[in-house]
Amino acid sequence: MSATSSEKGKAMDRKEIAIALLRAIGIQELEYSLDGGGDSGDSTLERIQHVDGRLLDKLPDIPTGIDGAGRPHTLSWLLDDLVADLPEGDWVNNEGGYGTVTIRPFEEDEDLCFECDMTFRQDGDYGDENDDAEFEDEDFDADDDGAEDTEALS
C-alpha cells in the first residue's frame, strides 16, 4: 500500500499505532475485561493470543511515547488507555458498566478489529434492593438482658 503525499505527513492515531505494533509482534487477538462504578474503573488484560495460536502471559515492554515529564509510555499503557476510551458510553462513572473489549489487529473491518460488548447499569442499579435489609439498625431496649448487669462490666 502506497501512501499519498497528504498521508505521508499525517501522524498516526492511537488505534493505528496499537494495530501496527500488535501486527509487528504477531498478536492475533487481545481480550480486556472492563468493570466500572462509582468514580473508578478497571480494565484488565485477560487474554493474549499469538498468530501461531499460543496464549501469552504478557505483552513485551515496547516504548510507544514519552509523557511531559520524560517518562516512557509502553504498549501496555497505550492499550489500557485506548481500551478505556473505546466503549461508547460512560462505563466508569456513576452508573458504571462492565463488559469486554476485544482487539483483533489483523481484522480489516474496524468494527471487528475493535469490538466492545458492554452492559451499562442504570442509575443506582448496583445489586438487589433487599441487599441492605440485613444491615438495618435494630432497636435496642435499655431493659434488655445485656444492659441489666452494668456492675458486672465495671
Side-chain angles (χ1 to χ4, degrees):
M1 174 188 280
S2 174
T4 65
S5 59
S6 64
E7 290 175 335
K8 287 180 182 178
K10 179 186 162 218
M12 294 174 71
D13 68 17
R14 292 183 307 165
K15 285 182 177 181
E16 292 170 328
I17 293 168
I19 293 302
L21 289 171
L22 291 170
R23 284 180 178 177
I25 61 174
I27 301 300
Q28 181 73 37
E29 185 173 283
L30 296 173
E31 183 178 298
Y32 283 82
S33 64
L34 278 63
D35 187 18
D39 286 332
S40 64
D42 294 313
S43 61
T44 305
L45 180 55
E46 298 289 344
R47 192 170 57 81
I48 307 166
Q49 183 176 342
H50 194 266
V51 290
D52 66 8
R54 289 180 296 143
L55 294 178
L56 306 176
D57 294 330
K58 67 178 196 163
L59 292 169
D61 288 332
I62 298 172
T64 60
I66 298 173
D67 70 11
R71 295 178 300 240
H73 284 192
T74 63
L75 177 59
S76 294
W77 178 89
L78 173 73
L79 291 169
D80 286 343
D81 190 54
L82 177 62
V83 164
D85 291 341
L86 284 173
E88 293 181 15
D90 188 2
W91 66 272
V92 176
N93 291 308
N94 302 320
E95 297 85 23
Y98 57 92
T100 59
V101 172
T102 305
I103 301 174
R104 297 179 188 96
F106 292 97
E107 184 63 54
E108 294 300 322
D109 181 352
E110 188 173 335
D111 289 340
L112 296 175
C113 188
F114 296 98
E115 184 177 1
C116 299
D117 182 15
M118 299 296 295
T119 299
F120 297 95
R121 295 181 184 101
Q122 297 300 317
D123 190 19
D125 182 18
Y126 296 104
D128 191 355
E129 290 177 10
N130 298 324
D131 286 349
D132 292 334
E134 66 184 272
F135 297 107
E136 290 180 10
D137 292 336
E138 294 182 19
D139 291 330
F140 290 100
D141 188 3
D143 294 334
D144 194 7
D145 288 344
E148 282 182 14
D149 195 5
T150 55
E151 289 181 24
L153 297 175
S154 30

